Every structure is written in structure tokens, then in C-alpha cells.
Amino acid sequence: MERGYSNALNANPVKDKEESEDLKSGASCGADAVVDECIDVMFICSEWGSSKGGLSTFNRELAINLAKYSIDRIRLHCYVCQSTEKEREDASRNGIHLITARRPPGSSDPLEWIKIPPSELPKPDIVIGHGRKFGGAAYFIRKATRCRWIHFVHVFCEDFGKYKLECSITADAIADSEDKNRQELELCEASDLAVAVGPLLQRKYQRHLQDIKVEVITPGIFEQYVNPTAKQWSGFESSEEEFSVFMFGRGSFEDFELKGYDIIGKAVASLERKFELTFVGAPQDEQRKMEKWFLEETKISRDQLTIRGFCSYEKMKKMFREADLVVMPSRTEGFGLVALEAISAGVSVLISRECGIAKALQAVDGGMAVVIPTASPDKWATKIQQLSEQTPDERYSSAVRLRENYEKVYNWKEESKKFEKMILQLATSPTPKETEITEKATCSSKEKAQIQRKEVLTGTICLLAVFLSIFFIAWVHSVPHSCVEVGKSERRGPSESALGATSVSDNNKELNQLHSSERVRDVTKMRSTLPLGFSVDSRNATGRTPLMNQALKGNVQAVKSLIMRGADPSQMDNDGWNSLHFAAQGGDPETIDLILSYVPDIESETVYGETPLICAARRCKLKGVKYLIERGANPLANDINGLNSLHHASLCCQGFMQFLLNRAINSGRGFRGGVNL
């Protein structure tokens, strides 16, 4: 439902029957009581517009859509460092009360200004901060007002250090990124609720914050970029017209490798003159400096390169109309809102697999078609060349289809409703201090005595259990080995032992059965009875997940069931094997096909350089080998020992070896290091 800010202030405190029943049931947020008063929610950010990039864009879109789809009882405010009259009017039209921070005497840092609660809203109920930049301000406001705090994470800083270049500000990029990552984790732990932008960041933060639940909000299509009346011109043959590639980003030189600018510069440089690259995001008066970097580092021709400065999202909308293609080649990226903005505008995109949006696109029909699984400039150049061979109308139709499919999976209405439930849960649950006071107030002397008796009884039972355990262990060791059951590792065959099912704690029957289940109904049953908070991606001692074990068995129904319940096929075990390697070793084409739809890199390598085809060939799985080669697997790819699938197949029957050899010869690929027959 749409509403303006004035409507929110005058909201009727009595809810209609339907909303009241929904709150009484607690929905999915677990609230046991109805919130009878208005909830004041305050977002904290530097600006209402988007001149600072992705973070402020996400903050504005989330606030606008929450105002659009949430109940009237939630009143929304946005506390910013600075604003214009036009921005305040825009916020008000969208149901947001925009509050501008006041500069305290002697302070010149705007980030210090927003640490002080505004006089317009001295006691908010919930404050929302973003990342390290605004998380600190949210912390100080919570401390001053005793409100609740929701913390959003947009990046995983530890990944940045691998690719950031050292500069005068940062002597050691890895150490600096590690320190920033530590700060981000501390903010998550200190907040009342941590929320990640997109599923990739949620997975990364949840792995580091196992004692708290990290929620996820995935942004939907940006409606302001959608232009239903846009017309694609087509006045020339595709081979004769210029092909314009746009890349948006920050012009900080230490981030050039991190953002993959060199990848696209080299890719475009390797193509013919009609391909042109436009970079948008140079700092003020540094366009020439950036041009020099591109010319020297990527060898791109000056005729193929255009450098532009930062721009507002109004100008970006116009630039999207200029572009034939928008690329995001980042070597690591928290989410990648620019790519989503381009998708919203109906522009063709190519996205690195390391971007968070690539993880989200795995669930979108046709989404992986725009994801490039490598940082090789040659592979990017090939894909750019292929897109240029399509007509503008064909590219536009594909882009619109991707936008429609994305919106079916991720849309602001559902994401806003999900976030609304998080807010209601915080608003209806007492603070930790209130809980402590309540417990102390209701604990009478009689109840204290009962608690003390229970503690004594519990201690006695625990002590008795310890003595019984010691007695049982001593009895087992006193029995001759012939009387004791042979160990599981001795009873199992090689393939069963490889699953490592007993590596999961034997005290947890459900987890053991989930790892070793043969049938999909067993998996479904186990999943429904697992302890609350347990991850379906639980790992055994070798780092393997239930999905890996079922893929190895070729249990395609169990694989489907686990993926539907959130299992991640891209997870890797201790040796770098993902579910595709295990499916290949199992040799079932249907299972391999299913996993390939989630792990599209058919040449993915383990830590020993083994490809899925090598895994299948080593186990003499002819059906699996045939299917992988039909899907484009390279029979001559080598592992770290210089052995390819032909070498491994030499241990199998002669017919199997001959099949692989014929495929290798017919593929037209060169023999790397010769073929050992």
C-alpha cells in the first residue's frame, strides 16, 4: 500500500482485524504480542541520493519500498549528514521523514554529526546502520536512546586484501583488510540483528558468526531505471556499427585490480576497432591520470577508450541508454548493485562469478548465462564478441527477459515484507536488560529454593553419568577383540568409506543419517527433525556435506531435495572438491546435469588440479565421461602432476581408453606434454 509521510504520522493506532490476527499469530517473526504503538524506524546514511555509490542507493531503495509495502504502524525516518530541499520533498513523497544532522561546535567530520540522536526523533525504536561507516553511529545512538539496532553488511573486507594494491595510505593491504573485517564482525556481534545484502555475503558472514543468525535481504529491480517506452534503434548491420562497452566504478588506483578493470581493458584491446570502452567513475580532474593507467597497463588504444567522472543516478540512466553492454568484472564484490541497475534498465550485462549478484542469479532462470566464471581477458573478449554479433533488438529482448525472471525470484514487495517481520520481532521482544529485570522481579524465595534443589539433583545425575561412562569404557577394553564388533571402516567397501559418514559426531543420529541417507524420503525426514539452527551444509571431518555424499551416490532425488532446502552445491571439502567433482566420480549423467546447473564451471579444479572429467575417468565411469565431454569438458586438461583424463583412463578397459583418445584427437586440442598410452 502506498502512503506519504503525513499519512504515517496520522496512522490509526487500532489495526483492522486481518492485520491484528497476523500479528497475534506472530507470522514468521515469533512475536507473541501485538505492537499497539507506532514503531519509529530510523535509517542512518550519508545522503538520500546516490552520489556516493551502492550503499546509499541500497539504503534509499530499501526505505522507499519498506514505506510502500509495510503496515501503517511503522513510521520511517532517514537520518543523513546533509540534504537538499529537493531531496527532502522526494523522501516525503515516498513516505520517509528525512532528518538532516546538525554540526556540533568544533566538528568538521559529518560522520561524527550522525552519532548524536536528532532532536526531531530523540528516541527511535529501531535504528538501521550500514557497514563500518555507519555502524558506529548506530551503536552510539542505541547506547544513548536504548533502542534496538539492525546492522547491514555490504562487503566482506577480508577478500579485498588479496587484490588491493598498496598505496601511500595503506602499507599492507592484507593487514588493513583483516583489521576492517574484524571491525565489521564486531559490529555484527554487538547489534541486535545482522543482515547481509544477498546470499553470498550471508553465507560468508554466517560461517564466521556461528553463534548468531545472519539474515539476508536481496534487492529487487530498481523501478526508476525501468523505461517501458524505450525503443531500440537498428539502423545498421551489426558488423558495421560501433559496440559500446560501459564499466562503472570507483577511480581509486589501489582498487583497479580488485575491480577487474585490467581484465576488460585487455579484453577490449584484443578486439577490433569497433569495440569501445567507456569507464565512468574517475575522481574529479583525474581523467587523464586514469586514461594513462589504462593505456599503459592494458595496451588498449586511445581510440577505443573514454574516461568519465562520477555521475548521479539521473545521468547514469541516460548512460545506460548509450551502452550496448555493461560489464562488472570484479575479482570480488559484495553484491554489485550497478549490475542490477543495468539489468533493471534492460541493458545486456556480463558479470564476474565472484560478484555477490552472480550467486543470486543461480536461482534465476537464465541468470547464469551472463556470468563469466573466469578472470581471463580472452574469455571475456569472446563473450563480448558473441554479444556484438546479435542485433540490438535481440540483446534488448534477452535483457528484458532476464529482468522479468529476476523479479520472479527477488522482488521488493516480498523482501520488504520479510524485513518488516524482522522489525516487528525486534519491536515486540524485550531488550536483554529488560529480560533480566523481569526474571529477577518474578523470582520469589520459594522459587529460588526449587531452583537450588533442581541444581543439586542435576549435578548428582551428571556425576553418576560420568562414573557409569568410565565403568563402561573399562569394560570394553577388558573384552577380547574377537568379541567386539568390527569397526565400521573395516566393514565398509572403499566407495562407502569415502563418504566419511561416521566422521560426524556419533552422538547425533540425525546428522549421521543425513550424511549417509540413500533415499530422498530419508533426507526429507531427517531435514524436518534436525535441531533448530542446524545447517543443511553440515560438514564431516573431511569437510564434505550431505549434498556431496548424495551426488557421489548418484541419488538425484536426494540431491534435488537438499538443494531445495538450501544446500550449496558450490561448497568445497578440505581437498577443494565441490559437488560436481563428486557427481562426476559417481558417474550418473542426470546427477551431473543437475549439479552443472548450479556449478557451471565444468573445468573447476580441486587443490590437486583435478577436473570433474579426471574424477570420472579415474573411476572408469564411461557414462559420466561421455556426458561431461558432450558438455564441453577438456579431455587434455592436466592435474598438478601433469596427468590428464587419458592417463587416468589407462587403468580402465581398452575400449574406455580408446573412446577418450578419439575424443581428444577429434577435439582439435593440442597434446600437452604428449599422451601416455
PDB file of all heavy atoms in Angstrom, residues 361-378:
ATOM      1  N   LEU A 361      21.914 -14.902  -8.954  1.00  0.00           N
ATOM      2  CA  LEU A 361      21.437 -15.269 -10.292  1.00  0.00           C
ATOM      3  C   LEU A 361      21.370 -16.774 -10.506  1.00  0.00           C
ATOM      4  O   LEU A 361      20.753 -17.238 -11.459  1.00  0.00           O
ATOM      5  CB  LEU A 361      22.339 -14.642 -11.357  1.00  0.00           C
ATOM      6  CG  LEU A 361      22.168 -13.139 -11.577  1.00  0.00           C
ATOM      7  CD1 LEU A 361      23.263 -12.598 -12.486  1.00  0.00           C
ATOM      8  CD2 LEU A 361      20.794 -12.820 -12.161  1.00  0.00           C
ATOM      9  N   GLN A 362      21.998 -17.561  -9.622  1.00  0.00           N
ATOM     10  CA  GLN A 362      21.910 -19.014  -9.742  1.00  0.00           C
ATOM     11  C   GLN A 362      20.462 -19.494  -9.619  1.00  0.00           C
ATOM     12  O   GLN A 362      20.095 -20.517 -10.191  1.00  0.00           O
ATOM     13  CB  GLN A 362      22.761 -19.686  -8.669  1.00  0.00           C
ATOM     14  CG  GLN A 362      24.252 -19.555  -8.894  1.00  0.00           C
ATOM     15  CD  GLN A 362      25.058 -20.274  -7.831  1.00  0.00           C
ATOM     16  OE1 GLN A 362      24.510 -20.906  -6.920  1.00  0.00           O
ATOM     17  NE2 GLN A 362      26.372 -20.196  -7.919  1.00  0.00           N
ATOM     18  N   ALA A 363      19.656 -18.739  -8.894  1.00  0.00           N
ATOM     19  CA  ALA A 363      18.261 -19.132  -8.701  1.00  0.00           C
ATOM     20  C   ALA A 363      17.337 -18.547  -9.761  1.00  0.00           C
ATOM     21  O   ALA A 363      16.132 -18.800  -9.735  1.00  0.00           O
ATOM     22  CB  ALA A 363      17.798 -18.691  -7.309  1.00  0.00           C
ATOM     23  N   VAL A 364      17.887 -17.764 -10.691  1.00  0.00           N
ATOM     24  CA  VAL A 364      17.085 -17.085 -11.710  1.00  0.00           C
ATOM     25  C   VAL A 364      17.190 -17.844 -13.024  1.00  0.00           C
ATOM     26  O   VAL A 364      18.293 -18.198 -13.459  1.00  0.00           O
ATOM     27  CB  VAL A 364      17.566 -15.623 -11.901  1.00  0.00           C
ATOM     28  CG1 VAL A 364      16.808 -14.937 -13.023  1.00  0.00           C
ATOM     29  CG2 VAL A 364      17.405 -14.848 -10.596  1.00  0.00           C
ATOM     30  N   ASP A 365      16.072 -18.096 -13.660  1.00  0.00           N
ATOM     31  CA  ASP A 365      16.054 -18.783 -14.946  1.00  0.00           C
ATOM     32  C   ASP A 365      16.855 -17.988 -15.978  1.00  0.00           C
ATOM     33  O   ASP A 365      16.554 -16.828 -16.252  1.00  0.00           O
ATOM     34  CB  ASP A 365      14.614 -18.960 -15.421  1.00  0.00           C
ATOM     35  CG  ASP A 365      14.515 -19.812 -16.686  1.00  0.00           C
ATOM     36  OD1 ASP A 365      15.466 -20.559 -16.965  1.00  0.00           O
ATOM     37  OD2 ASP A 365      13.478 -19.718 -17.383  1.00  0.00           O
ATOM     38  N   GLY A 366      17.902 -18.589 -16.527  1.00  0.00           N
ATOM     39  CA  GLY A 366      18.759 -17.918 -17.490  1.00  0.00           C
ATOM     40  C   GLY A 366      19.775 -16.986 -16.875  1.00  0.00           C
ATOM     41  O   GLY A 366      20.531 -16.325 -17.606  1.00  0.00           O
ATOM     42  N   GLY A 367      19.843 -16.928 -15.559  1.00  0.00           N
ATOM     43  CA  GLY A 367      20.741 -15.983 -14.900  1.00  0.00           C
ATOM     44  C   GLY A 367      22.208 -16.281 -15.104  1.00  0.00           C
ATOM     45  O   GLY A 367      23.029 -15.363 -15.261  1.00  0.00           O
ATOM     46  N   MET A 368      22.572 -17.568 -15.140  1.00  0.00           N
ATOM     47  CA  MET A 368      23.987 -17.910 -15.259  1.00  0.00           C
ATOM     48  C   MET A 368      24.537 -17.671 -16.663  1.00  0.00           C
ATOM     49  O   MET A 368      25.749 -17.739 -16.881  1.00  0.00           O
ATOM     50  CB  MET A 368      24.198 -19.373 -14.863  1.00  0.00           C
ATOM     51  CG  MET A 368      23.857 -19.662 -13.412  1.00  0.00           C
ATOM     52  SD  MET A 368      24.679 -18.549 -12.246  1.00  0.00           S
ATOM     53  CE  MET A 368      26.386 -19.042 -12.454  1.00  0.00           C
ATOM     54  N   ALA A 369      23.668 -17.370 -17.622  1.00  0.00           N
ATOM     55  CA  ALA A 369      24.133 -17.092 -18.988  1.00  0.00           C
ATOM     56  C   ALA A 369      24.945 -15.805 -19.059  1.00  0.00           C
ATOM     57  O   ALA A 369      25.720 -15.608 -20.004  1.00  0.00           O
ATOM     58  CB  ALA A 369      22.946 -17.014 -19.942  1.00  0.00           C
ATOM     59  N   VAL A 370      24.770 -14.909 -18.090  1.00  0.00           N
ATOM     60  CA  VAL A 370      25.507 -13.634 -18.098  1.00  0.00           C
ATOM     61  C   VAL A 370      26.674 -13.646 -17.130  1.00  0.00           C
ATOM     62  O   VAL A 370      27.333 -12.628 -16.928  1.00  0.00           O
ATOM     63  CB  VAL A 370      24.559 -12.453 -17.767  1.00  0.00           C
ATOM     64  CG1 VAL A 370      23.422 -12.390 -18.763  1.00  0.00           C
ATOM     65  CG2 VAL A 370      24.026 -12.551 -16.342  1.00  0.00           C
ATOM     66  N   VAL A 371      26.942 -14.785 -16.505  1.00  0.00           N
ATOM     67  CA  VAL A 371      28.021 -14.894 -15.521  1.00  0.00           C
ATOM     68  C   VAL A 371      29.249 -15.505 -16.182  1.00  0.00           C
ATOM     69  O   VAL A 371      29.172 -16.566 -16.806  1.00  0.00           O
ATOM     70  CB  VAL A 371      27.585 -15.752 -14.315  1.00  0.00           C
ATOM     71  CG1 VAL A 371      28.743 -15.943 -13.343  1.00  0.00           C
ATOM     72  CG2 VAL A 371      26.408 -15.101 -13.599  1.00  0.00           C
ATOM     73  N   ILE A 372      30.397 -14.833 -16.049  1.00  0.00           N
ATOM     74  CA  ILE A 372      31.661 -15.312 -16.619  1.00  0.00           C
ATOM     75  C   ILE A 372      32.465 -15.963 -15.493  1.00  0.00           C
ATOM     76  O   ILE A 372      32.812 -15.302 -14.513  1.00  0.00           O
ATOM     77  CB  ILE A 372      32.479 -14.164 -17.240  1.00  0.00           C
ATOM     78  CG1 ILE A 372      31.619 -13.373 -18.231  1.00  0.00           C
ATOM     79  CG2 ILE A 372      33.728 -14.711 -17.922  1.00  0.00           C
ATOM     80  CD1 ILE A 372      31.140 -14.164 -19.413  1.00  0.00           C
ATOM     81  N   PRO A 373      32.782 -17.272 -15.605  1.00  0.00           N
ATOM     82  CA  PRO A 373      33.428 -17.978 -14.495  1.00  0.00           C
ATOM     83  C   PRO A 373      34.941 -17.847 -14.433  1.00  0.00           C
ATOM     84  O   PRO A 373      35.592 -18.623 -13.750  1.00  0.00           O
ATOM     85  CB  PRO A 373      33.017 -19.429 -14.768  1.00  0.00           C
ATOM     86  CG  PRO A 373      32.924 -19.513 -16.246  1.00  0.00           C
ATOM     87  CD  PRO A 373      32.445 -18.169 -16.719  1.00  0.00           C
ATOM     88  N   THR A 374      35.522 -16.903 -15.128  1.00  0.00           N
ATOM     89  CA  THR A 374      36.980 -16.798 -15.168  1.00  0.00           C
ATOM     90  C   THR A 374      37.404 -15.334 -15.269  1.00  0.00           C
ATOM     91  O   THR A 374      36.626 -14.483 -15.697  1.00  0.00           O
ATOM     92  CB  THR A 374      37.540 -17.575 -16.377  1.00  0.00           C
ATOM     93  OG1 THR A 374      38.951 -17.380 -16.459  1.00  0.00           O
ATOM     94  CG2 THR A 374      36.900 -17.095 -17.682  1.00  0.00           C
ATOM     95  N   ALA A 375      38.648 -15.066 -14.873  1.00  0.00           N
ATOM     96  CA  ALA A 375      39.210 -13.713 -14.993  1.00  0.00           C
ATOM     97  C   ALA A 375      40.053 -13.569 -16.254  1.00  0.00           C
ATOM     98  O   ALA A 375      40.768 -12.584 -16.410  1.00  0.00           O
ATOM     99  CB  ALA A 375      40.055 -13.393 -13.764  1.00  0.00           C
ATOM    100  N   SER A 376      39.972 -14.533 -17.147  1.00  0.00           N
ATOM    101  CA  SER A 376      40.767 -14.492 -18.378  1.00  0.00           C
ATOM    102  C   SER A 376      40.227 -13.430 -19.336  1.00  0.00           C
ATOM    103  O   SER A 376      39.066 -13.494 -19.743  1.00  0.00           O
ATOM    104  CB  SER A 376      40.730 -15.861 -19.066  1.00  0.00           C
ATOM    105  OG  SER A 376      41.222 -15.772 -20.397  1.00  0.00           O
ATOM    106  N   PRO A 377      41.057 -12.446 -19.735  1.00  0.00           N
ATOM    107  CA  PRO A 377      40.600 -11.439 -20.699  1.00  0.00           C
ATOM    108  C   PRO A 377      40.134 -12.058 -22.016  1.00  0.00           C
ATOM    109  O   PRO A 377      39.207 -11.553 -22.657  1.00  0.00           O
ATOM    110  CB  PRO A 377      41.837 -10.558 -20.901  1.00  0.00           C
ATOM    111  CG  PRO A 377      42.632 -10.724 -19.647  1.00  0.00           C
ATOM    112  CD  PRO A 377      42.422 -12.140 -19.233  1.00  0.00           C
ATOM    113  N   ASP A 378      40.763 -13.165 -22.416  1.00  0.00           N
ATOM    114  CA  ASP A 378      40.372 -13.819 -23.671  1.00  0.00           C
ATOM    115  C   ASP A 378      38.940 -14.338 -23.606  1.00  0.00           C
ATOM    116  O   ASP A 378      38.180 -14.224 -24.579  1.00  0.00           O
ATOM    117  CB  ASP A 378      41.335 -14.973 -23.985  1.00  0.00           C
ATOM    118  CG  ASP A 378      42.733 -14.485 -24.343  1.00  0.00           C
ATOM    119  OD1 ASP A 378      42.858 -13.297 -24.714  1.00  0.00           O
ATOM    120  OD2 ASP A 378      43.681 -15.275 -24.235  1.00  0.00           O
TER     121      ASP A 378
END
